[in-house]
Amino acid sequence: MKNLPTDLLRTFVTINQLGGFTQAGERLGRSQPAVSLQVKRLEELLDIRLFHRASGLQLTEEGLLLLGYAQKMLDLNDAVVSRLSSPNVSGSVRLGIPNDFEVSFLATTIGRFSQAYPNVTLDVSSDISANLLHDYGKGEYDLVMAIEESNRPQPQLTDYIIEPLVWVRGNNLILEPEAPLPLILYPKGCLYRKAIINALTEANQPWRIVYSTSSLLGIHAAIKAGLGISALSRSTVPDGLEASASYAPCPTLGNLSIGFCYDPNKLTSASRMLLDYLKHGLNAL
């Protein structure tokens, strides 16, 4: 039996996460030629082609199959290393995360943290970012992951990434010419809602709200049902929905910042460990 080196698998997965050999090299601290060599070694080891050479980074059928297995193998590897090499951390952490990151982060990053640190109790709440930051100021959270405008003069968040806000719609959406744009929105106070309405108003594009909910699954269901159009940060768009930064007759929405709010002087050992996991998960988006 052949053994698959985890460093080769991690390079392969990172290429697909970031969309390029150069970007993967920057994340992993390797040059682009070194990344290419690692992909070649993995292909030779398995005697397969991972990418269609004439189609950029499009995966072959074998590449798609390996990607699923590779991610599971790396998750297991990282969980074992964290469990055995990390100090025995215990305690509780009150964490707030935005609604639209609830599903993806609970299933991956937060789940892996709980497996690695079973003695840490997590009290996780999801809400729109404005409410999370307000409640953090009242002392209700130890750590908050949130979203804010990317051009804010004095950012509230640290350790943030910049992502585009994209229009999201179902493939069954039919827009009536000259009719107000049907919108599916989070409640008042949501940054997405504010950005959408401001952009449409400035573009003199008529609009109307057809569905409003604080539920992420409700937003997704309404979009899939073809009730209207909405906007989400690019990394949170689920499979089965169409997304693009520009979509006629909608104006572009610009970028937003996704990061964290915390007091480094008040973080416990458990909070610091969780923050490290969350940073890694955010940078992997």
Side-chain angles (χ1 to χ4, degrees), residues 209-274:
I209 299 174
V210 297
Y211 192 82
S212 178
T213 178
S214 60
S215 166
L216 170 65
L217 296 181
I219 292 286
H220 290 174
I223 298 173
K224 289 179 181 179
L227 296 184
I229 190 169
S230 190
L232 297 169
S233 57
R234 182 180 59 190
S235 61
T236 65
V237 179
D239 294 336
L241 296 181
E242 299 178 7
S244 57
S246 59
Y247 176 62
C250 305
T252 57
L253 296 170
N255 298 323
L256 47 81
S257 298
I258 309 168
F260 304 97
C261 187
Y262 60 92
D263 184 343
N265 298 317
K266 295 182 179 180
L267 290 181
T268 63
S269 296
S271 299
R272 292 183 187 279
M273 290 293 185
L274 177 59

